[in-house]
Amino acid sequence: MGSTQIITWMDNLTGNVEIQLFKNGIFHSSITGSTPSDGEYTWNIPGSLTQASDYSIRISSLDDGNISDFSDANFTLSNELIVTVPNGGESWQRGTSHTIRWTDNIPGNVKIDLYRDVNTFETQIASTTQSSGSYNWVIPAGTTPGSNYRIRITSVDNTSIFDISDTTFEIFAGSITISTPNGGENWVAGTSQDIFWEDNINENITIDLYKGGSFHSVISSSTGSDGSKGWEIPFTLESGSDYKVKITSVDNPAISDMSDSNFTIVGNQITVISPNGGEVWLDTDDHIITWSDNVTGNVEIQLYKNDIFNSSITGSTPSDGEYTWNIPGSSISGSDYKIKILSVDDGNVFDLSDNNFTIINNELTLTAPDGGESWLTETSQTITWIDDIDANVKLELFKDGNYNSTIATSTPSDGSYVWDIPPGITYNQNYSIKITSVEYSELFDMSNSNFTILTGNITVKQPNGGESWQAGTTRIVSWTDSLEEDVKIELYKGGSFHSVISS
């Protein structure tokens, strides 16, 4: 209906014919009252006819109405226009392109309208377009989201010919919601991290890094909107607690999201812990250089003197936080040393001791008492040592490995000290002496083994002077003492030892 069709027939008449339309075998209307019997007639089918499949045509002679013919069988008159997409249940994102599809048998153009439900007109999509069965629709970004939309397609020539989506479809606003990093995270430069988000879009997205509210760099120019993206954080990225990530639709930049709050990127860092200033290290000992870092590669350790490079301690060692350094003996000494630790991969990542530390290579060796001696209280004994230092030394007495008392708080480092052993020291076999540099407490030595301090007193009563004793006779040697241990008795002549009386 509404189209132009050719009615054809054969006849052997000379006069005109009449053409009539019948419906269900009953006369309906006259198509033409008279037309030449030339075998065809162009019929502009009225669009107002009722759609039906029981129509037939009668052609009859005007000169003799008994000469006629009917269609052998019924034919159909219809105007068909059927919306196929969207026809219900679809979810289309605003700002994206979708194809509206339909079938029809009409020759003219159609118009396409957007409706809410069945009766509420929303907006016109196309005022006229060919009835080709498809139309590409870019849904305006400003379309109000909703789940009750339908499409209505109408013939431009005959507005009674139309169809509307059977059920509603959805137009939704595309959304992106970042979950990580979304604020408070601490990520280290040079590490791998995962960016996570949720979205309801199909197109690719871009991921950008912002710092201090301003664009910083592109993380990914285009990646699938699948909810996650691994990020190799550049090793050289500067530290900061004002970073955010922004994710944006490639096709529709209006669809985007940014981290709710700032997150932190910790740039690669090295911090020297020891020696960091004030330490005194002997070149005779192994020392542990310690540091903290967040680098993944090896580090180099350098020695600086007076803030000038002195030597390389190690060209490469794992960044595990410690290194055992055997200081070269007697090759270096001074109080103006620093340690520099730097990344092998990026020399711009380093740290230097905050302040100077000291390396000393002086000698201080205790020689007496060095083990095995027996010294009596209330006697004078000489403590001796070897050193090459200029400063004074301190002498201390240890008992059973524990500090007992100070012998001298400061005495010249001249190699000897006369010690008047006080009477109050108790008898013990486990005494030792510690000698320490007054300037550098790290420089010291102790008796290699224990020595003994004897206590108490012995008073010889007989012989005590003036006696005359004959050789070969027996005499009584007598004395008084406050000792618990045994004694030995020796004979002296002319002030020198002569022989043992009793061992």
Side-chain angles (χ1 to χ4, degrees):
M1 295 184 296
S3 66
T4 299
Q5 303 292 337
I6 306 298
I7 301 172
T8 61
W9 70 94
M10 296 183 295
D11 69 60
N12 58 4
L13 304 177
T14 56
N16 285 2
V17 295
E18 179 183 6
I19 305 176
Q20 297 171 328
L21 179 65
F22 279 68
K23 186 178 188 302
N24 194 24
I26 301 171
F27 173 80
H28 179 279
S29 60
S30 176
I31 294 174
T32 178
S34 178
T35 185
S37 55
D38 55 9
E40 66 177 41
Y41 178 81
T42 301
W43 181 27
N44 293 316
I45 304 175
S48 59
L49 293 176
T50 302
Q51 296 189 98
S53 58
D54 58 352
Y55 285 102
S56 60
I57 293 291
R58 180 189 181 196
I59 302 177
S60 59
S61 169
L62 284 180
D63 296 332
D64 185 353
N66 294 318
I67 302 173
S68 65
D69 190 36
F70 272 93
S71 306
D72 291 341
N74 291 328
F75 71 96
T76 299
L77 287 177
S78 69
N79 282 311
E80 186 174 71
L81 194 156
I82 300 174
V83 177
T84 57
V85 178
N87 202 35
E90 295 86 353
S91 290
W92 286 0
Q93 178 188 327
R94 68 181 184 181
T96 60
S97 177
H98 295 273
T99 301
I100 299 170
R101 299 185 186 278
W102 68 95
T103 60
D104 70 65
N105 62 0
I106 62 176
N109 285 5
V110 297
K111 67 174 181 176
I112 305 174
D113 297 315
L114 181 64
Y115 272 67
R116 291 257 193 180
D117 295 314
V118 175
N119 299 317
T120 304
F121 173 80
E122 180 77 9
T123 187
Q124 189 164 81
I125 295 172
S127 61
T128 180
T129 185
Q130 290 183 341
S131 55
S132 60
S134 66
Y135 179 83
N136 187 55
W137 179 34
V138 178
I139 304 175
T143 303
T144 303
S147 59
N148 61 339
Y149 282 104
R150 297 180 191 236
I151 291 293
R152 174 170 173 158
I153 302 177
T154 306
S155 167
V156 171
D157 297 329
N158 185 352
T159 57
S160 65
I161 302 171
F162 67 89
D163 190 35
I164 194 164
S165 305
D166 289 344
T167 56
T168 59
F169 70 98
E170 178 188 23
I171 294 177
F172 66 91
S175 65
I176 298 172
T177 303
I178 296 172
S179 54
T180 304
N182 203 36
E185 295 84 355
N186 284 277
W187 288 356
V188 177
T191 62
S192 297
Q193 301 292 338
D194 288 322
I195 298 170
F196 292 102
W197 69 95
E198 294 179 356
D199 68 66
N200 59 2
I201 64 176
N202 298 319
E203 64 270 21
N204 283 7
I205 51 97
T206 61
I207 306 177
D208 297 317
L209 181 65
Y210 277 67
K211 187 177 192 302
S214 301
F215 172 80
H216 181 276
S217 56
V218 174
I219 295 174
S220 176
S221 59
S222 182
T223 188
S225 54
D226 54 10
S228 67
K229 174 67 175 177
W231 180 28
E232 299 288 338
I233 303 178
F235 187 87
T236 55
L237 197 59
E238 64 268 34
S239 296
S241 59
D242 56 350
Y243 283 99
K244 289 185 178 182
V245 162
K246 182 178 182 180
I247 300 179
T248 306
S249 164
V250 169
D251 295 338
N252 190 353
I255 302 173
S256 67
D257 189 38
M258 184 176 279
S259 305
D260 291 343
S261 301
N262 292 326
F263 69 98
T264 298
I265 291 178
V266 180
N268 281 278
Q269 296 177 340
I270 296 174
T271 303
V272 175
I273 298 174
S274 178
N276 200 38
E279 296 87 349
V280 177
W281 285 2
L282 301 177
D283 66 354
T284 55
D285 297 333
D286 288 341
H287 295 275
I288 307 298
I289 299 172
T290 59
W291 69 95
S292 62
D293 70 66
N294 59 9
V295 302
T296 54
N298 286 8
V299 295
E300 179 183 359
I301 304 177
Q302 299 173 341
L303 181 66
Y304 275 66
K305 182 174 173 58
N306 194 25
D307 291 325
I308 299 172
F309 174 80
N310 179 273
S311 58
S312 177
I313 294 174
T314 176
S316 182
T317 187
S319 54
D320 55 9
E322 65 176 44
Y323 178 82
T324 300
W325 181 29
N326 185 276
I327 303 176
S330 73
S331 61
I332 52 177
S333 65
S335 59
D336 55 354
Y337 284 101
K338 290 182 179 180
I339 291 293
K340 181 178 182 180
I341 302 177
L342 63 158
S343 166
V344 170
D345 297 327
D346 185 356
N348 294 317
V349 179
F350 68 89
D351 189 37
L352 192 69
S353 303
D354 292 342
N355 296 294
N356 293 326
F357 71 99
T358 299
I359 297 175
I360 57 176
N361 54 24
N362 300 105
E363 179 184 11
L364 182 59
T365 304
L366 186 71
T367 55
D370 205 30
E373 296 87 348
S374 293
W375 288 358
L376 183 64
T377 57
E378 299 186 71
T379 63
S380 296
Q381 304 292 337
T382 301
I383 301 171
T384 62
W385 66 92
I386 299 171
D387 71 67
D388 60 357
I389 62 177
D390 297 326
N392 285 7
V393 295
K394 177 172 64 172
L395 297 170
E396 296 171 308
L397 180 65
F398 278 68
K399 179 183 179 183
D400 295 319
N402 299 311
Y403 170 81
N404 180 271
S405 59
T406 298
I407 297 171
T409 57
S410 181
T411 186
S413 55
D414 54 9
S416 66
Y417 177 83
V418 176
W419 179 29
D420 294 323
I421 304 176
I425 296 179
T426 60
Y427 164 79
N428 196 287
Q429 295 178 327
N430 295 321
Y431 283 103
S432 58
I433 295 292
K434 179 179 180 181
I435 184 169
T436 306
S437 166
V438 171
E439 184 176 4
Y440 300 122
S441 60
E442 294 80 3
L443 183 59
F444 66 89
D445 192 33
M446 292 190 74
S447 306
N448 288 328
S449 299
N450 293 324
F451 71 98
T452 301
I453 293 181
L454 301 173
T455 60
N457 57 75
I458 299 173
T459 303
V460 178
K461 296 178 64 178
Q462 179 180 284
N464 199 33
E467 294 87 351
S468 294
W469 288 356
Q470 180 181 345
T473 62
T474 299
R475 297 294 181 179
I476 301 297
V477 177
S478 63
W479 68 91
T480 60
D481 66 65
S482 61
L483 305 177
E484 296 179 358
E485 65 269 20
D486 292 342
V487 299
K488 65 179 179 179
I489 304 173
E490 298 171 325
L491 180 64
Y492 277 66
K493 186 177 188 301
S496 299
F497 173 77
H498 179 274
S499 58
V500 174
I501 297 174
S502 173
S503 60

